[in-house]
């Protein structure tokens, strides 16, 4: 049983925002569209209500990897697309639950 593992784009973004990710596993050559605040760099899965300074981006992957590395997480790219398909192609080991 894994108590400190989360998966999916939405939860992973929230845990990255909270600096709670210790290991990140991502299917290689996949993209995650979303939104980004162009002033603060904060990323979102869906467009925030206020929409101020928000732009749609085709891929949040680089921002997510950068945020993970900034908090000391290791990032692992998985070659086989089937390995993480049941986890929406992204899985993270977290330091604590939100």
């Amino acid at each position: 049983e894994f108590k400190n593992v989360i998966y999916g784009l939405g939860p992973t973004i929230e845990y990255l925002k909270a600096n709670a990710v210790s290991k990140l596993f991502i299917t290689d050559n996949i993209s995650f569209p979303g939104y980004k605040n162009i002033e603060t760099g904060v990323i979102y899965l869906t467009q925030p209500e206020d929409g101020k300074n928000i732009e749609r981006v085709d891929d949040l992957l680089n921002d997510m990897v950068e945020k993970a590395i900034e908090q000391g997480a290791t990032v692992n790219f998985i070659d086989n697309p089937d390995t993480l398909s049941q986890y929406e192609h992204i899985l993270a080991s977290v330091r604590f639950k939100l």
Side-chain angles (χ1 to χ4, degrees):
E1 178 183 338
F2 296 103
K3 293 182 180 180
N4 293 322
V5 173
I6 53 104
Y7 67 91
L9 187 56
T12 303
I13 288 172
E14 294 309 310
Y15 276 83
L16 284 167
K17 286 180 185 176
N19 295 316
V21 173
S22 60
K23 293 180 183 175
L24 186 62
F25 300 88
I26 305 168
T27 300
D28 202 9
N29 295 315
I30 195 155
S31 62
F32 298 109
Y35 297 86
K36 182 177 180 177
N37 184 308
I38 57 175
E39 283 190 2
T40 65
V42 175
I43 58 174
Y44 305 91
L45 179 58
T46 58
Q47 187 168 4
E49 294 265 336
D50 67 9
K52 188 176 182 183
N53 301 315
I54 300 296
E55 67 178 15
R56 188 180 190 297
V57 293
D58 292 331
D59 192 4
L60 296 173
L61 184 59
N62 287 339
D63 293 294
M64 294 174 70
V65 168
E66 184 177 301
K67 182 73 173 161
I69 292 169
E70 284 173 3
Q71 59 192 259
T74 57
V75 179
N76 301 279
F77 292 95
I78 308 301
D79 291 331
N80 185 340
D82 296 331
T83 303
L84 295 177
S85 62
Q86 66 185 353
Y87 303 108
E88 301 173 33
H89 298 283
I90 189 162
L91 178 107
S93 173
V94 296
R95 294 182 183 97
F96 53 87
K97 288 287 194 174
L98 297 180

